[in-house]
Amino acid sequence: MARKGGASASPCGEPRKFDPKFRGPIHNRHCTDILCCVIFIVVILGYIALGILAWVHGDPRKVVYPTDSYGQFCGQKDTINENKTILFYFNILKCASPIVLINLQCPTTQLCVSKCPDRFATYIDMQGSYRHNKSYWEYYRQFCKPGFNKPWKSVAQVIRDEDCPSMIIPSRPFLKRCFPDFSTKNGILTVANQTTFKDGRGKTRNVTDLREAANGINNVLDARSVGMKIFEDYASSWHWILIGLFIAMIVSLLFLVLLRFTAGVLFWIFILGVIGIIGYGIWHCYWEYDHLQGTPGSDLTIYDIGFQTDFRVYLQLRQTWLAFMIILCIVEVFIILMLIFLRNRIRIAIALLQEGSRAIGYIMSTLFYPIITFVLIAICISYWAVTAVFLSTSGEPVYKVMANQTLCKYANLTCDPETFNTTNVTKLCVGAQCTFAFYGGESFYHKYIFIFQLSNAFVFLWLVNFAIALGQCTLAGAFASYYWAFRKPADIPPCPLFSSFGRAIRYHTGSLAFGSLILAIVQLIRIILEYLDHKLKGTQNSFTRFLLCCLKCCFWCLEKFIKFINRNAYIMIAIYGKNFCTSAKEAFFLLMRNVVRVAVLDKVTDFLLFLGKLLVAGGVGVLAFFFFTHRIPVFTQETPTLNYYWVPLLTVIIGSYLIAHGFFSVYAMCVDTLFLCFCEDLERNDGSTAKPYYMSASLHRILGKKELSPKKAMG
């Protein structure tokens, strides 16, 4: 590796110029990738304009409140429906029609009511008893159109004009909509303990017809149902979730502080802790599997019960716990085999992490930088979500002809409810109505809502990747300042993190935006491919599905490769201040010239850090599991009652992992930066007095160089 003269030949055959004045991150810099910086700023201004435009046209009430046949919200304050919060379907049997899936609307009159009916009744029976008991009509009329008060009107005319429902059935509110109150008695489906009912048109129907009709709406609203229950669980457990995430943050921070002094011991604790947690999971799955033996219904298979929105049903099956146990056993065996075959390299990687611990120990502020990245990403997510909601609710009420007759040529055509009764549609299509269908419009803005949503998603990806790139470049600059300090810590510049952040923002916004743009484009293509794959799942074209699968695989690999190149390019930008393309090229060839070291040290280090994240997330997850399943006697009274206990549990586990990832990413960035600086150091210097190494004596010993210059060894 020794060199004479002003250049050294690299293994790639490219001469590498030696700069004798190089002393670490360049401070005399110039702006890079200015064009991309200008485009980035213009896109941000356009994104702000899009948000304002969506805010002006959007109305989130359309998501919160159900809408009746006249486009009016149910339960909204200061309206005629303020006290009528529930949507009632005149004839729910019509909701089994395919129109429900086409227009997301049931082809029957929909009315806002204050409560759902609690009895079986028909309009015919009401008329028969009206003369003797007017209270029967007073109850029935609350489910008729507002202002209708003609109980003597003929049944045929009432059904034709849909003034009142031909029947009412016992119902209960579900997602603010009246659905039949189904129950099972001795394995038979019933409604209010009845298996049949009168439909008000002279026929006796089975309650299974109601089930089919309700399923027509449930196919549209089932996801909303789960969403509402999940929202309720979050509302009752959010403070406990925050406590769990706070514990994860404290544990992660404590681990990183202790790594400064006991990196080797703690990482072996990580490894053994992960093995222990997975081992406990295997034992618990076996205990649940054995405990359910002999329990009625526990031997059913997942295929037998099909998809259920209440996931607790699956936990009552032995097959579920057997599957969990097999998966955990595979993971446990894989980790143990990895530890056996990579034990020597793991010791080397731990030593490299100890060097990283010293770097972080001198620049402790880097531990808190992930909070800045988290805040920036949270702002991006919040702005994207709000803009998406306002865009999706940007539109005027659109009314369509809902006809009972399948041959009506006016069916699904737009109409005006104010003039509909004066047209010939009602004569040609008996029973047809002009009802609210959806929100939309014919203006330029409404025609391109989809394009705006796509733009919203793309800019969101760009901004999130930029926030991550800014953090990587900032941390790389700070740790490079540590490495290229000849006498540590005396030569480390003051406030290295703040200085690195200032350089990244002032000079390299364009370069960071360039790298983020490339990654955002690939990610958007992957999202589009996933959408197409979802849409084509029902097709029989095997070649199309095969081609789509290949494209998804290729773009997944491309995304991983670009992330790897970007990360190392940002390190080179932080050190040399060159543009993105030049930095990416130099980083790539530098790594290729040291590909063996990259494979041995870098990835093993990532594996150890991953085990640390698993330990934090798994430990906090076990604590959350015992808490939310009422298995901690001290907190039994404080534990909230939940629809799905896995909702806060998964939130705590995933959140804990992300928090641990944020803190441990500092270590990962430190190791990557020190490794690239080490490779640069080897190519620029030879350990002589004229060109001494900048690496510490311990790092020099770790990575296999035999001796340092006397001056460096003494330093």
Side-chain angles (χ1 to χ4, degrees), residues 83-288:
N83 297 321
K84 301 177 179 180
T85 59
I86 308 171
L87 191 67
F88 171 74
Y89 298 92
F90 267 35
N91 188 357
I92 197 172
L93 292 172
K94 294 182 180 179
C95 297
S97 168
I99 297 176
V100 176
L101 298 178
I102 296 172
N103 294 326
L104 303 184
Q105 284 288 324
C106 184
T108 186
T109 299
Q110 299 166 40
L111 193 70
C112 297
V113 296
S114 57
K115 63 179 180 180
C116 296
D118 58 6
R119 67 193 71 170
F120 281 108
T122 65
Y123 192 82
I124 296 175
D125 294 337
M126 183 280 302
Q127 274 196 332
S129 61
Y130 174 70
R131 296 179 182 178
H132 310 289
N133 187 359
K134 290 184 171 55
S135 63
Y136 199 79
W137 163 245
E138 292 300 323
Y139 178 81
Y140 203 94
R141 67 181 295 186
Q142 62 184 322
F143 304 107
C144 299
K145 288 182 178 178
F148 179 77
N149 193 18
K150 298 179 181 180
W152 55 85
K153 188 175 180 179
S154 69
V155 176
Q157 290 177 327
V158 169
I159 294 176
R160 181 197 64 190
D161 300 335
E162 290 207 13
D163 295 319
C164 288
S166 62
M167 63 172 180
I168 57 175
I169 57 177
S171 306
R172 56 187 174 88
F174 177 71
L175 285 179
K176 296 184 178 181
R177 290 164 173 82
C178 291
F179 281 93
D181 190 7
F182 294 109
S183 61
T184 303
K185 187 175 182 180
N186 297 326
I188 300 175
L189 186 68
T190 64
V191 174
N193 293 325
Q194 295 188 30
T195 57
T196 60
F197 65 96
K198 296 179 180 179
D199 66 355
R201 299 169 185 257
K203 294 182 180 180
T204 300
R205 309 285 291 267
N206 195 291
V207 295
T208 54
D209 296 334
L210 291 175
R211 167 61 74 185
E212 293 176 3
N215 284 339
I217 304 176
N218 281 336
N219 289 334
V220 179
L221 300 177
D222 195 45
R224 285 175 133 185
S225 164
V226 177
M228 289 296 292
K229 290 183 179 180
I230 290 175
F231 179 79
E232 291 174 0
D233 289 342
Y234 278 129
S236 59
S237 62
W238 64 269
H239 50 290
W240 293 108
I241 293 175
L242 291 180
I243 292 174
L245 297 180
F246 180 76
I247 293 174
M249 184 180 69
I250 295 299
V251 172
S252 299
L253 188 60
L254 181 62
F255 269 127
L256 291 182
V257 172
L258 292 177
L259 279 175
R260 171 70 178 87
F261 308 101
T262 57
V265 175
L266 278 180
F267 269 98
W268 283 114
I269 291 176
F270 283 170
I271 295 170
L272 297 177
V274 169
I275 294 175
I277 289 176
I278 297 177
Y280 168 78
I282 294 172
W283 176 84
H284 182 79
C285 291
Y286 174 78
W287 184 86
E288 292 282 1

